[in-house]
Amino acid sequence: AQTVTQSQPEMSVQEAETVTLSCTYDTSESDYYLFWYKQPPSRQMILVIRQEAYKQQNATENRFSVNFQKAAKSFSLKISDSQLGDAAMYFCAYNNNNDMRFGAGTRLTVKP
Amino acid sequence: DAGVIQSPRHEVTEMGQEVTLRCKPISGHNSLFWYRQTMMRGLELLIYFNNNVPIDDSGMPEDRFSAKMPNASFSTLKIQPSEPRDSAVYFCASSSVWADTQYFGPGTRLTVL
């Protein structure tokens, strides 16, 4: 069974600084998708970034970028120039054949 | 563009009562997913449909739970009878591409007393 592990239950960053959230996953598949979702206190699940496993190039979306290491089964999220609005729970997710698995989440606090 | 719509946003009911949660996927999306989120178990996939047909319901916890998708724009998740341990946030999500990005609704917070 595929599992997703987020080893950092909580992280903190100073406003305008950079923070990296870790995620590892376990799979025997070669073709899949990886995602980071953000869940603010409103509880809405918001897509942050998406990575296709067959693409070696790391995905980027404005201040958000990933470090995808397929052989190591690692998928970390880097947030640059952190803003107060980035404070939320962040979930890493793995999707193969519509079997979507989520990590336990990392709570990010942004200090002004 | 309208996102995934769920109703109600909050539901409080008493143990033993029937609860029906509703979802309208994004227009044009052909896959629909129901998830449950709790502190103890995190986000769990309950069931998903493709082209209105249930594909995988292995995550449905027990026979008290049932889901239907009578057409491409509407799905329900029913719990009968409800129990306090069913208290959770229930999310609906939809997708237009098989095994790709899922877009989530705002969720329904269910409290069973």
Side-chain angles (χ1 to χ4, degrees), chain B residues 18 68 89 99:
Chain B
E18 177 180 297
K68 294 182 179 180
V89 178

Side-chain angles (χ1 to χ4, degrees), chain A residues 37-46 85 87-90 107:
Chain A
Y37 283 89
K38 169 185 177 181
Q39 188 177 40
S42 66
R43 77 168 177 257
Q44 174 78 50
M45 293 286 287
I46 303 166
M89 283 289 288
Y90 285 82
R107 182 175 300 281

Side-chain angles (χ1 to χ4, degrees), chain B residues 34-48:
Chain B
W34 283 101
Y35 289 88
R36 178 172 68 176
Q37 185 179 34
T38 61
M39 288 295 293
M40 290 296 294
R41 300 176 66 91
L43 271 157
E44 302 175 280
L45 177 64
L46 300 177
I47 184 171
Y48 78 88

Side-chain angles (χ1 to χ4, degrees), chain A residues 36-55:
Chain A
W36 280 95
Y37 283 89
K38 169 185 177 181
Q39 188 177 40
S42 66
R43 77 168 177 257
Q44 174 78 50
M45 293 286 287
I46 303 166
L47 176 70
V48 175
I49 200 164
R50 162 188 174 275
Q51 176 79 43
E52 299 168 73
Y54 65 87
K55 288 188 176 179

Side-chain angles (χ1 to χ4, degrees), chain B residues 3-5 22-30 32 51-52 68-76 92 94:
Chain B
V4 176
I5 299 172
R22 297 172 175 79
C23 175
K24 176 179 169 57
I26 294 171
S27 178
H29 284 195
N30 56 7
L32 182 141
N51 293 325
N52 312 338
K68 294 182 179 180
M69 191 166 187
N71 57 62
S73 58
F74 184 67
S75 176
T76 59
C92 176
S94 69

